[in-house]
Amino acid sequence: MRETLLDKVWAVHTVRELASGQTQLFIGLHLVHEVTSPQAFQMLRERDLEVRFPGRTFATVDHIIPTDGEARPLADDMAEQMFVEIERNVADGGIKFFDEASGRQGIVHVIGPELGLTQPGMTIACGDSHTSTHGALGAVAFGIGTSQVRDVLATQCLAVEKPKLRRIEVNGRLGNGVFAKDVILHIIGRLGVHGGVGYAYEYAGDVFDSMSMEGRLTVCNMSIEGGARIGYVNPDETAYKFLRGRPYVPAGAEFDRARDWWGGLRSEVNADYDDVVALDGAAIEPMVTWGINPGHVVGVSQPVPDPAQLDGPDAASAVEALEFMQLDTGQPIAGRPIDVAFIGSCTNGRLSDLREAAAVVEGRRVAAGVKALAVPGSQRVREQAEEMGLDEIFRAAGFEWREAGCSMCLAMNSDKLVGDQMSASTSNRNFKGRQGSPTGRTLLMSPAMVAAAAVSGEVTDVRELV
Amino acid sequence: MAESNITTVSGTGIPVRGNDIDTDRIIPARYLRAVTFDGLGEHTFEDDRKQAAGAHPFDDPRFADAAILLVNNNFGSGSSREHAPQALQRWGIRAVVGQSFGEIFFGNSLTLGIPCMVLSADAVGQLQDAADADPSTAITVDLKAGAVSMADLSFASQMSEAVRESLVSGRWDALGELLGAPDETRKVHDGLPYVAGFSG
C-alpha cells in the first residue's frame, strides 16, 4: 500500500489500539490558551494527577486579552481572573508560558509556526478548532474539547479514530487579487460546511505548491469551517525554508537530519485516498460570504443568490441567512455598505496579511463612518509590521493599530460589533452573533478585500483598486 | 471515575429546528469568560432565544423537562468549545438525535456521556413533529440496539462501533484507559525523531 502523510504520522504516534477500537495517539505538541484550559487543570487537581510531559505543552493568552494596551490588572474582573488562573496553572504544571512580558505572546495558531514549535510530522492538539492551521507545515493537527485537554495534560495522549482522507487538488494559476483566503472560501463553498466531517483534507496541486507558507496557514486554518478537523500540505522546500532558523527548530546537522525525516513523510505518489476532488484555481475570484456560515459564499462579481435556485450543500439555511443578513436575492454583493473593517485573527493576522491589506490602504482613507481595526496576530508580527512601517500606513488611513490578540474574530474582549453593524472581516466565521453582537453581521473576505471595503465603505472588488 | 455504562437514555423530546446550528449559537462566547462550567445551563441558546422573543423551544414550558434534543443537519459545527455540550447537559439534555453533527461537538458530547444519534432527515423530522404534537411522549435511545424509538416510531441509527462500544461499556470518558499505558506511552515518546534529536 502506498502511504499518505496521515498514515505515516498516525503510525509513528500510535501507542496502542483501545478496546473500543479507537487509537491511543501520542500528541507531540500541545498548545494551551486561557479559555478552554482552566477546567482541564482543575480536573487534574481533583483527580490528583500531574502534567505528564510538561515540556511538550506550551501556553499563551490570546482570546480575552485586550488589544488597546490596557495594563494589568484588567478592569474586567472576569478577564483578570482568567489571566490569574492560567498563570497559576502553567506555574503549577511547569509549562512554558508565552505571556506579554515574553515578547512572544500572540494567537496560539500564529505563534506555534512563528516560534518553530510547529514542525512537520508532529501530532498537534489544542483546545481550539483552528488547530488545523498547523497542518500547513505537514503536521497532523486538530482541535479538541476541554476534557481532552485534560487527557493530554495527564497522559500526552488522546483516544481518537483515524479520519478518512480527501485529497483536494487545485491546479492552474490564481488571478491577480486572488489570495489563499479566496481559495479556501471557494473550496468550502463547493464542498459545504459539513462536507469534510469524518475527513482530513490534504491540499495539493499547483496552487498549493506555489503558495507561501503564510497562505497555506490560512487555508489549513479554515479546514474546520469545511467540517474537516484536520487539513495539511505535504512538507516541501517552502516549509523547510520557513522553518530554518526559528527558535525551536533544530539547527546545523540536526536540521539536515530533520529535513530527511520530514521529506520521508510526504504522501507517496499514487497513494490511496478515500476521495479526490479537483478544482480549477484560475476560476477562483475574490470571494465574499453573504450568509451565516462560510459555505454561504460567492465571487465578488456575483449577485446574492436566490435560495430557491441554490442546490449546493449549504442551501438549506439560505433563507434564514438572507433574513439575518438583511440582504436581497439578486442584488450584487459588491456595493453592500459596511460599518466595520476587521483585519486580524488566526486566519489572517500574519505579516503577509497585513502587508497585502496595507498595499491597498496606502495613500487612501478609511471611508467616513467606518470603524477600521488592524490587529496583528502576535507581538512578533506587530514588531515586524512596525519595522516595515505598516503601522504608519494603517494609522494614516484611519485604521486603529492594535496589540496582538484574537480581538473581534470572536469578541471575547471589548472589541465587538454593536447592534446589526455589518463587518467586513478577515476572520473565519460569519456565524450569527460571532463578532460580539447577537444581531451583528459578518462578511468574510481576504485582507486585501477587507482593505478595499474599508476605504470604499462598501464591498468592493479589490482588483479595481490595484 | 464517575463513569457508568450507558445502554439506554429515556426522556421526553425537545425539537430545535434548523441546519448548521453552530456552538457559538448553543453558548455565546461571552459565557466562556469563566474558569468553570458552572451556570452555563441557563444561557443555552441565549441569543437565539432572545431573537425568538419567547418562541424558542427552550423557553416553551411544555419542553421544560425534556432530556432528548432533536436537531437537524450539522448541529454543533464550528468552535471546539466543550462549553456547548456542558451547557446542554446542565440544562438537562442527556442525548441528542439529529441528521448530522460537527465532529468536535460529537466527541465532546461523548466524553460527557451524551450520545449523539444520527438518523435520516425524514426520521428526525417525524420525531420533531411527534414531540411538538405531544411533548409528554417519551423517547428512548437504545445504545445496545443502536435505535431511537418514540411510541410507534422506531429508527435504526448509524453509529461507529467504537463510539457505541465506549458508551455501553462505560468507557466513554477515555482518561482511565489512557492512563493505563504509561510504559507504552513513554516508549512512543522516546522514539519520536523530534524528541530524540533526529539521531535515529
Side-chain angles (χ1 to χ4, degrees):
Chain A
M1 192 183 102
R2 290 176 181 271
E3 289 185 317
T4 63
L5 178 141
L6 176 66
D7 295 327
K8 297 178 200 179
V9 174
W10 201 270
V12 168
H13 292 84
T14 294
V15 173
R16 59 174 177 159
E17 188 175 313
L18 298 170
S20 65
Q22 290 176 305
T23 304
Q24 178 163 352
L25 190 73
F26 189 88
I27 300 303
L29 174 65
H30 182 213
L31 300 168
V32 162
H33 64 69
E34 75 280 17
V35 173
T36 55
S37 67
Q39 299 89 343
F41 284 101
Q42 186 56 32
M43 292 180 215
L44 249 61
R45 286 189 192 98
E46 284 164 7
R47 296 188 189 199
D48 205 19
L49 293 169
E50 296 197 330
V51 179
R52 176 82 198 281
F53 291 95
R56 305 229 65 86
T57 294
F58 296 84
T60 192
V61 275
D62 51 11
H63 283 60
I64 56 159
I65 198 165
T67 60
D68 55 7
E70 183 188 350
R72 298 277 305 278
L74 302 175
D76 177 341
D77 285 343
M78 186 44 76
E80 179 62 25
Q81 192 185 333
M82 293 177 81
F83 253 104
V84 169
E85 190 73 8
I86 194 164
E87 286 165 348
R88 171 171 82 119
N89 289 332
V90 295
D92 286 359
I95 292 165
K96 177 75 182 164
F97 183 39
F98 298 113
D99 60 2
E100 287 171 287
S102 72
R104 291 174 166 183
Q105 173 269 335
I107 306 175
V108 65
H109 310 308
V110 175
I111 67 168
E114 185 176 86
L115 292 169
L117 291 167
T118 304
Q119 294 173 20
M122 285 181 169
T123 46
I124 302 178
C126 173
D128 194 290
S129 62
H130 293 112
T131 307
S132 58
T133 310
H134 305 264
L137 281 148
V140 170
F142 52 93
I144 55 177
T146 296
S147 294
Q148 291 176 307
V149 172
R150 171 206 63 185
D151 293 349
V152 180
L153 289 171
T155 69
Q156 206 61 35
C157 292
L158 287 167
V160 279
E161 282 182 76
K162 188 179 174 191
K164 293 184 284 185
L165 184 59
R166 172 178 293 144
R167 180 176 165 95
I168 300 179
E169 276 183 37
V170 186
N171 285 307
R173 272 188 66 158
L174 299 180
N176 284 337
V178 178
F179 298 93
K181 181 67 160 287
D182 303 305
V183 174
I184 187 61
L185 284 171
H186 178 79
I187 290 170
I188 297 167
R190 286 295 190 87
L191 301 178
V193 292
H194 192 65
V197 170
Y199 283 92
Y201 281 176
E202 177 179 295
Y203 300 102
D206 306 340
V207 163
F208 301 109
D209 288 344
S210 60
M211 190 177 275
S212 71
M213 183 48 64
E214 297 208 341
R216 293 177 187 180
L217 288 161
T218 298
V219 169
C220 291
N221 172 273
M222 289 189 69
S223 301
I224 186 63
E225 306 312 329
R229 201 169 175 180
I230 296 167
Y232 70 83
V233 179
N234 281 299
D236 62 1
E237 287 302 323
T238 301
Y240 310 146
K241 205 172 156 196
F242 177 91
L243 287 159
R244 193 187 282 277
R246 292 187 183 268
Y248 284 87
V249 174
E254 193 179 340
F255 183 89
D256 297 335
R257 295 197 301 271
R259 193 170 56 183
D260 288 345
W261 185 64
W262 296 336
L265 296 170
R266 290 175 55 88
S267 294
E268 312 284 335
V269 175
N270 297 324
D272 293 325
Y273 294 90
D274 298 288
D275 191 29
V276 178
V277 172
L279 299 169
D280 177 12
I284 302 174
E285 275 197 276
M287 305 294 285
V288 184
T289 61
W290 50 265
I292 55 172
N293 71 51
H296 292 148
V297 65
V298 287
V300 67
S301 70
Q302 302 294 306
V304 175
D306 177 356
Q309 302 290 317
L310 283 178
D311 58 358
D314 297 317
S317 46
V319 172
E320 179 189 358
L322 290 184
E323 187 185 350
F324 184 84
M325 294 299 291
Q326 304 170 38
L327 292 173
D328 295 323
T329 292
Q331 70 182 159
I333 192 75
R336 291 313 94 218
I338 65 149
D339 305 298
V340 173
F342 171 64
I343 295 170
S345 83
C346 59
T347 310
N348 282 131
R350 299 182 184 80
L351 188 62
S352 60
D353 301 313
L354 298 174
R355 218 170 43 221
E356 285 153 13
V360 175
V361 163
E362 188 162 22
R364 296 188 168 99
R365 288 283 307 166
V366 171
V370 171
K371 178 187 173 75
L373 294 182
V375 187
S378 70
Q379 289 181 315
R380 183 73 190 118
V381 168
R382 190 169 192 270
E383 277 170 19
Q384 289 173 309
E386 291 181 354
E387 284 163 18
M388 296 171 71
L390 302 185
D391 57 325
E392 293 303 325
I393 295 173
F394 282 115
R395 281 202 181 99
F399 270 81
E400 296 176 34
W401 178 248
R402 295 294 191 88
E403 310 259 353
C406 298
S407 181
M408 205 188 273
C409 174
L410 83 171
M412 286 192 69
N413 65 359
S414 59
D415 306 331
K416 296 176 197 298
L417 296 183
V418 178
D420 66 354
Q421 280 182 328
M422 183 79 97
S423 163
S425 179
T426 67
S427 54
N428 40 57
R429 291 188 170 136
N430 50 342
F431 296 163
K432 288 180 175 179
R434 173 76 179 182
Q435 292 193 284
S437 164
T439 51
R441 299 170 292 162
T442 302
L443 305 168
L444 300 177
M445 313 171 201
S446 73
M449 282 286 288
V450 170
V455 298
S456 309
E458 58 185 41
V459 178
T460 300
D461 187 339
V462 68
R463 293 171 298 187
E464 294 166 9
L465 296 187
V466 292
Chain B
M1 229 162 281
E3 287 183 65
S4 57
N5 301 6
I6 298 177
T7 52
T8 57
V9 182
S10 295
T12 56
I14 175 169
V16 173
R17 291 182 164 83
N19 294 306
D20 308 316
I21 295 179
D22 56 74
T23 54
D24 274 84
R25 283 169 70 183
I26 299 171
I27 187 78
R30 59 185 177 277
Y31 296 113
L32 277 53
R33 292 157 38 83
V35 296
T36 72
F37 292 123
D38 299 342
L40 287 176
E42 63 186 285
H43 300 297
T44 311
F45 293 116
E46 181 156 293
D47 291 344
D48 280 5
R49 288 161 74 177
K50 260 188 202 148
Q51 282 160 53
H56 194 280
F58 271 59
D59 289 320
D60 186 335
R62 299 182 305 151
F63 299 122
D65 298 322
I68 317 283
L69 179 61
L70 305 168
V71 299
N72 297 101
N73 207 21
N74 200 27
F75 184 80
S77 57
S79 158
S80 65
R81 61 190 68 170
E82 187 174 308
H83 304 66
Q86 291 274 3
L88 290 169
Q89 191 174 53
R90 280 165 169 69
W91 191 86
I93 297 301
R94 290 185 287 119
V96 192
V97 177
Q99 195 185 336
S100 66
F101 296 92
E103 198 168 327
I104 305 178
F105 174 85
F106 185 100
N108 286 341
S109 299
L110 177 65
T111 305
L112 301 180
I114 303 172
C116 292
M117 307 296 284
V118 175
L119 298 183
S120 69
D122 177 60
V124 169
Q126 288 189 53
L127 291 170
Q128 288 176 325
D129 290 348
D132 252 338
D134 183 1
S136 67
T137 306
I139 298 173
T140 299
V141 172
D142 182 339
L143 276 314
K144 274 197 167 155
V148 180
S149 58
M150 180 181 188
D152 52 353
L153 298 173
S154 182
F155 305 102
S157 169
Q158 312 151 17
M159 189 169 225
S160 111
E161 185 52 28
V163 168
R164 202 189 65 82
E165 169 63 25
S166 68
L167 286 162
V168 299
S169 64
R171 285 191 291 259
W172 38 271
D173 182 342
L175 180 55
E177 272 194 290
L178 294 175
L179 285 165
D183 297 339
E184 294 97 318
T185 301
R186 169 62 69 182
K187 193 170 161 225
V188 168
H189 168 267
D190 293 349
L192 289 169
Y194 55 86
V195 169
F198 298 99
S199 54

